[in-house]
Amino acid sequence: MAFDVALCVLVAGLALRLLTTRDLFEAVILFVSFGLALALVWVRIGAVDVALAEVALGAGVTGALLVNARRRLEQKAPEWLEAAHYRPAAAVLPALCGAFAGVAGLVALTAPRAVQPLAPRILERVPDAAATNPVTAVLLDFRAYDTLLEIGVLVAGITAVWALERGRPAVPPAATAEDEPVLAELVRWIVPLTVMTAIYLTWLGAYEPGGAFQAGALLAGAGVLMLASGFLRPYAPHSPVLRTVVAAGLFVFAAAALATVFAEGALLRYPAAGGYVWVLAIEAVLTVSIAAILAEFFVDVPSAPQQASGEQR
């Protein structure tokens, strides 16, 4: 009980400081710390799948994207960072977030108790699903069309980034063990471990916490580490290999949807005999595609435009 209270105070304190700080670098560090603390909250309430996603996406990949974005702002348009310190919204935002949290809490406390919870109904249907893990069963069986659209959103997002791309920033030269011995050892140990964990989460996701999004985020984290350190050179945005990998998840998922319509008469209703194989195949391709998309967001996020001297803001 004492740990839970301390965790709640920590999360609230990080959130308040994150919304009120005027230093963007501090805000990024607080954002990552908030994501890690929030992952502990999800673990404490038994939502391990969500905790894995929060650590990999909320704290890991998104934190790297924010650090990268701030670095590019500092290089291309340092006056944006200075102007960001004095935005009036910084004082109003915490109050609005607090009001929203209060209204949400009031709604939760006054909600009618006669409403049947959704969890028991899902658990009743899990034996009939292709995956025995309730979260995976929901994502890839009960509402698989929703997950299909989520993959479509990711592909649309990276396509928009490619369309807005104003030229890649300078990529660090390929690092060597002689140049960066500590970094070389870190990459040598962390990247293989991360890749193996991603493979394990993909395979495990059908019947335990895990799955394509968590595994793809971990795999993307390994890619971001190698890209940021210069041990991996990024593909060009127009590379056929890169675009094939990015689109493969959406293509395979859509092809599976069409195949099940013809085979079973319903969208993404997997055959009873081989449902697990269908889910595992889709998850495996999605893992690689999600990893490629997230890593591309890190590499290809558009830089801030360089203003001409004397230009009015």
Side-chain angles (χ1 to χ4, degrees):
M1 181 64 180
F3 178 80
D4 293 335
V5 172
L7 187 58
C8 290
V9 172
L10 175 63
V11 170
L14 287 173
L16 181 61
R17 180 60 183 169
L18 171 60
L19 294 173
T20 55
T21 182
R22 293 185 174 184
D23 185 272
L24 291 185
F25 182 74
E26 181 184 0
V28 172
I29 299 303
L30 288 170
F31 179 86
V32 174
S33 302
F34 177 79
L36 294 174
L38 195 60
L40 288 177
V41 173
W42 289 119
V43 171
R44 292 294 294 174
I45 63 177
V48 181
D49 286 273
V50 183
L52 288 171
E54 180 63 41
V55 169
L57 287 171
V61 176
T62 306
L65 287 172
L66 291 175
V67 170
N68 196 33
R70 186 193 179 281
R71 177 179 61 82
R72 295 192 188 187
L73 281 175
E74 191 175 37
Q75 293 174 348
K76 295 289 186 178
E79 68 279 1
W80 286 23
L81 295 179
E82 183 179 354
H85 292 178
Y86 304 100
R87 290 176 183 170
V92 179
L93 191 57
L96 292 178
C97 291
F100 177 79
V103 172
L106 183 62
V107 170
L109 291 174
T110 58
R113 304 296 182 183
V115 177
Q116 183 181 1
L118 188 60
R121 300 174 61 185
I122 293 175
L123 294 176
E124 290 176 2
R125 295 286 308 278
V126 166
D128 300 326
T132 56
N133 179 29
V135 176
T136 306
V138 171
L139 293 177
L140 289 179
D141 202 327
F142 301 154
R143 63 171 187 88
Y145 55 87
D146 191 13
T147 306
L148 173 60
L149 294 177
E150 291 174 2
I151 300 302
V153 169
L154 283 177
V155 173
I158 193 60
T159 302
V161 169
W162 284 336
L164 294 172
E165 217 272 322
R166 302 183 182 98
R168 285 182 186 269
V171 178
T176 64
E178 292 76 15
D179 299 331
E180 298 286 349
V182 176
L183 183 59
E185 286 298 318
L186 178 66
V187 172
R188 185 176 294 116
W189 284 95
I190 295 297
V191 170
L193 179 62
T194 303
V195 172
M196 290 300 297
T197 304
I199 295 173
Y200 178 70
L201 286 176
T202 303
W203 170 75
L204 192 70
Y207 49 90
E208 292 291 343
F213 281 93
Q214 292 87 344
L218 279 178
L219 202 57
V224 166
L225 176 61
M226 296 186 71
L227 289 166
S229 60
F231 281 86
L232 178 66
R233 306 294 291 181
Y235 281 92
H238 57 270
S239 166
V241 174
L242 175 62
R243 299 204 171 194
T244 299
V245 172
V246 166
L250 180 61
F251 177 81
V252 169
F253 210 158
L258 292 176
T260 54
V261 169
F262 289 107
E264 299 293 322
L267 183 68
L268 289 169
R269 178 187 292 171
Y270 309 113
Y276 171 75
V277 176
W278 284 70
V279 170
L280 184 60
I282 293 173
E283 290 261 83
V285 180
L286 287 181
T287 297
V288 179
S289 288
I290 291 170
I293 291 171
L294 294 178
E296 272 298 294
F297 276 129
F298 177 80
V299 174
D300 281 314
V301 61
S303 302
Q306 184 71 47
Q307 292 181 334
S309 59
E311 183 180 346
Q312 296 294 326
R313 287 186 282 122

